[in-house]
Amino acid sequence: MAFAHGRPVPGVEGFYTGIVHPLSTPPQLLALLALGLLLGQYWPRKFIVAWRAFALGAIGGLIVGIAGYGHSLGERALLVIALAASLLAAIGPASVSVPGTMAGAAGFFLGMVSTPDAGPLGAMTVTVIGTYVGANLALFYASGGIGWLRDRFNKPWALIGLQVIAAWIAAISCLMLALNVVS
Amino acid sequence: MAAIFTAGIVAASDLRARLTSVNLPVKAGDRWGRTVQTLVRGALLVALVLVTEPALAHTESGAINSGFLSGFAHPIFGWDHVIAMVAVGLWGAFLGAPAIWLLPVVFPLVMAFGGALGILGVPIPAVEAGIAASAVVLGLLIAFKAKPPLWIAGSIVALFAIFHGHAHGTELPAAANPFAFATGFVLATGLLHLIGIGFGTLVRWPAGTYAVRAGGGAIALAGLAFLFGIA
């Protein structure tokens, strides 16, 4: 980033690092993509309900993650959620309570695996805030993008294309989950 | 900089013109025909992007690139895989809606399940024979214009998808970057289905139907050659 002045706000680098943290590993990326494809079907009204669950879950997950619990469990759980969400997106719309529950669980496990390494409290706090903002923005833009595509190209080919992409993401998630189990 | 920008715009316009010139023989008002045409154009664009060699200032392309390329190449350079994938798309187009999109959705899902079995070390007997048999059976179904109920068609495709997935899955743990490898081979599989669907849209015309059925026969013969070790 090109700063006009050489003295950026202290700790701001940690914030930017935190923003991209929820997108840094395949399980995180797959879970967000799958959830975006699924929640995009409910854009914009019902999406807000699921997004609230995600935001609340992420707070819980970040607290548990900072306490040092379940990083490896979180990655596996994210792959399970990615598989379930993309399967649901490939098959068709369901009652919003199912994606809402998935979004809450995804937020929790995404927060759990996205915590920074131990360090000074101030720097960690800034990074965690960045992570929280980044995770929520990623879900918002993924779902909003899919919702926009569905509205803008409300044609059979667009809807079929999204279902096929969801099936591909489910396939990749399934393989990554198997690899995670054997590793 | 302006010259590079202008050249980019010209190249993009040229690419767009070439893609839109890919016209399948679709009748006016034929919604499914236009849908398939759009999907085929999209597949061509993705294929162009994927096969184009990037101009890299540094030659170390890294594990992600090599993992993706080896995964992408895995179904494409295995002819037994190629003909079976194309056959799935071809048969889907032959069966019409909703099978035309259901089969390419079912196949990668069940293929991934087979892949997971391969990764977990769960043995499946006669994987190579199953892959060759998939080409024989799907080719014959196309050649004889078989149109079973959707659930039977889905079950047949799903059964063979397990063999294909298992073969991919056993090679996955050895890949430099398993995520990139998995992404590459799932994408390649989907594109091969779309190629089959594109060819399969010829069934809208009598001559095209014969061409597609002949294609099915050729696929079955190739499958027999793989089955008996001739090819």
Side-chain angles (χ1 to χ4, degrees), chain A residues 8 16 18 21 27 48 53 64 74 81 109 113 118 130 149 156 168:
Chain A
Y16 292 127
H21 206 165
I48 299 294
V64 173
I81 291 167
F109 291 112
V113 302
L149 276 174
W168 290 355

Side-chain angles (χ1 to χ4, degrees), chain A residues 26 29-30 83 87 90-91 155-158 160-161 163-164 166-172 174-176 178-179 181-182, chain B residues 31-32 35 38-39 101 104-105 108-109 111-113 115-116 119-120 169 172-173 178-179 182-183 185-187 190-191:
Chain A
L29 208 55
L30 286 169
L83 176 60
L87 268 178
I91 292 165
K155 303 255 169 64
W157 65 264
I160 291 168
Q163 281 179 305
V164 170
W168 290 355
I169 290 175
I172 296 166
C174 181
L175 292 167
M176 295 303 293
L179 280 170
V181 169
V182 294
Chain B
R31 200 178 66 165
W32 279 106
T35 298
T38 309
L39 287 173
W101 62 266
V105 167
L109 290 176
M111 184 182 72
F113 175 70
I119 292 166
L120 295 170
L172 194 55
F179 177 61
T183 306
F185 97 73
V186 169
L187 276 179
L191 291 174

Side-chain angles (χ1 to χ4, degrees), chain A residues 134-151:
Chain A
N136 280 285
L137 280 181
L139 183 66
F140 180 82
Y141 281 112
S143 306
I146 299 298
W148 179 82
L149 276 174
R150 293 177 73 91
D151 281 348

